[in-house]
Amino acid sequence: MTELTRQQKAHELFKRYQGNPILTPQNWPYPTNAVFNPAAVKLNAETLLLIRVEDMRGFSHLTVARSSDGFTNWEVDSAPTLEADQNSREEKWGLEDPRIIWLEEQKQFAITYVSFSEGGPVVSLAITKNFKTFARLGALLPPEDKDACLFPRRFRGRFALIHRPIVRGEAHMWISFSPDLKHWGDHRLLIRTRPGYWDCHRVGLACQPIETAKGWMLFYHGVRATASGAIYRVGLALLDLNEPWRVLRRSDEWILGPRATYERVGDADDVVFPSGAVVHKETDQLNLYYGAADCAVAVATANLSDVLDYIMSCPEVKE
Ligand code: BMA
């Protein structure tokens, strides 16, 4: 496949839902400034989004919205679902950008989210069965850290976490390991920013890792700083199924970038920020849920098999 054919394929992979944005502050049962960056899972045949909601102080909390088709008729919880604990220094300035996976061993959902602590943003973990009651397991690693998600199972006896610390101003994606979800170590660089490319300034995990026959499909956001601000776009990588610290493929080009007005204009212009995905195996459909311009929630769809074909046509990553 030539460069141009592949770029064309990347460009056509995802279709924006024609009813976008699917959720805005106008759909909310209480006053908010913005609703964006949702985690997504399937629960009881419904699509459940756990959405970042920013209040008029500029602090965020997380609220559930449910829909039977994943596009329309959202039922939004009438009050915040998971709020910052006002007595906790870890959660002083709110909760942001959740990701969710089903932890097979615990038979519970694991939510990793950003807590805005006095010392900067940290990644915290909460588990739940029903999105009504939550057990908070605390911060996982020191600040500054964001964009984290667990994998649904252990690898060689250890849980694995993808996250994005900022070290010396550099923002690469890392993977770390833990025997008990509390003590984390064996930190390894996973995906770096690429000088010259669209993802030269920052990279961070987008939605939860998606298991496929060929490996873990990983959507990530990449940032380029420009004279008029940052542009957040989305790229794709493939990780080894049994050794997810090994990156097999990575797209040269982005597969989704700000184009629609609701993505180009908002509280933060030119941002598409996926943080949840739902795969419908029966129809091969992948719904990618994303925050648009830090204001609203939107969705784009693709066939999972097309996304897999595309990533297999991308360059192999040499370690
Ligand atoms: C990142 C995060 C996201 C936000 C994005 C664009 O650093 O804080 O929550 O959507 O910036 O503003």
Side-chain angles (χ1 to χ4, degrees):
M1 193 183 293
T2 66
E3 277 293 320
L4 275 180
T5 327
R6 210 192 50 234
Q7 287 184 22
Q8 183 70 24
K9 211 169 162 183
H11 182 67
E12 292 166 356
L13 219 42
F14 277 89
K15 304 255 174 304
R16 288 170 176 83
Y17 173 58
Q18 82 278 359
N20 272 349
I22 52 171
L23 286 163
T24 70
Q26 282 74 50
N27 304 110
W28 238 245
Y30 53 91
T32 71
N33 173 54
V35 302
F36 56 121
N37 301 1
V41 281
K42 258 202 252 181
L43 177 62
N44 304 330
E46 288 184 319
T47 296
L48 180 146
L49 301 184
L50 184 66
I51 296 159
R52 172 175 172 191
V53 179
E54 191 188 50
D55 68 21
M56 259 71 105
R57 295 171 302 175
F59 299 171
S60 295
H61 60 264
L62 309 177
T63 295
V64 163
R66 294 178 169 81
S67 155
S68 50
D69 66 5
F71 298 98
T72 59
N73 296 320
W74 293 94
E75 278 182 32
V76 182
D77 278 5
S78 56
T81 313
L82 187 64
E83 275 191 288
D85 173 355
Q86 293 303 318
N87 300 315
S88 145
R89 296 176 73 188
E90 178 192 322
E91 302 184 350
K92 186 158 184 194
W93 293 308
L95 315 181
E96 304 182 355
D97 303 355
R99 275 82 172 178
I100 303 172
I101 52 109
W102 172 250
L103 259 190
E104 284 161 11
E105 195 179 311
Q106 265 88 348
K107 302 269 175 282
Q108 302 227 41
F109 291 100
I111 309 166
T112 36
Y113 53 94
V114 174
S115 299
F116 236 104
S117 79
E118 277 177 16
V122 288
V123 170
S124 298
L125 174 63
I127 53 173
T128 185
K129 278 197 164 74
N130 49 21
F131 291 90
K132 292 191 167 70
T133 53
F134 301 86
R136 282 166 151 94
L137 304 190
L140 305 184
L141 288 160
E144 177 172 348
D145 205 6
K146 283 184 172 186
D147 303 319
C149 192
L150 289 169
F151 284 81
R153 58 166 183 273
R154 297 179 189 243
F155 302 93
R156 297 189 191 157
R158 297 183 304 176
F159 294 102
L161 177 83
I162 294 182
H163 58 119
R164 204 288 307 281
I166 295 194
V167 183
R168 297 190 313 268
E170 293 176 14
H172 312 296
M173 292 162 68
W174 290 68
I175 186 165
S176 301
F177 300 88
S178 169
D180 57 5
L181 293 176
K182 187 153 188 66
H183 303 92
W184 292 90
D186 195 9
H187 312 295
R188 302 181 196 194
L189 254 179
L190 187 67
I191 292 178
R192 294 167 186 263
T193 54
R194 287 183 293 199
Y197 283 74
W198 59 275
D199 51 4
C200 57
H201 187 60
R202 286 177 177 201
V203 289
L205 181 73
C207 54
Q208 70 271 40
I210 297 168
E211 189 168 6
T212 74
K214 306 254 194 258
W216 295 95
M217 198 146 70
L218 209 69
F219 290 88
Y220 70 93
H221 63 255
V223 182
R224 162 167 264 164
T226 77
S228 48
I231 305 178
Y232 279 70
R233 301 182 175 110
V234 187
L236 199 60
L238 190 72
L239 309 182
D240 187 272
L241 211 48
N242 300 312
E243 300 181 339
W245 50 93
R246 291 181 46 223
V247 183
L248 306 177
R249 310 263 171 174
R250 180 173 179 182
S251 63
D252 273 349
E253 54 276 329
W254 67 84
I255 55 153
L256 191 70
R259 272 289 162 264
T261 307
Y262 54 86
E263 300 161 347
R264 298 223 54 199
V265 182
D267 279 2
D269 292 350
D270 289 316
V271 176
V272 292
F273 197 93
S275 31
V278 169
V279 174
H280 296 285
K281 291 216 173 95
E282 331 75 69
T283 55
D284 188 41
Q285 187 171 308
L286 167 70
N287 293 349
L288 190 66
Y289 294 92
Y290 60 99
D294 283 9
C295 271
V297 176
V299 56
T301 61
N303 288 332
L304 180 60
S305 45
D306 290 345
V307 184
L308 255 186
D309 283 352
Y310 162 75
I311 190 64
M312 292 309 290
S313 74
C314 290
E316 279 185 62
V317 175
K318 308 269 182 286
E319 280 177 64

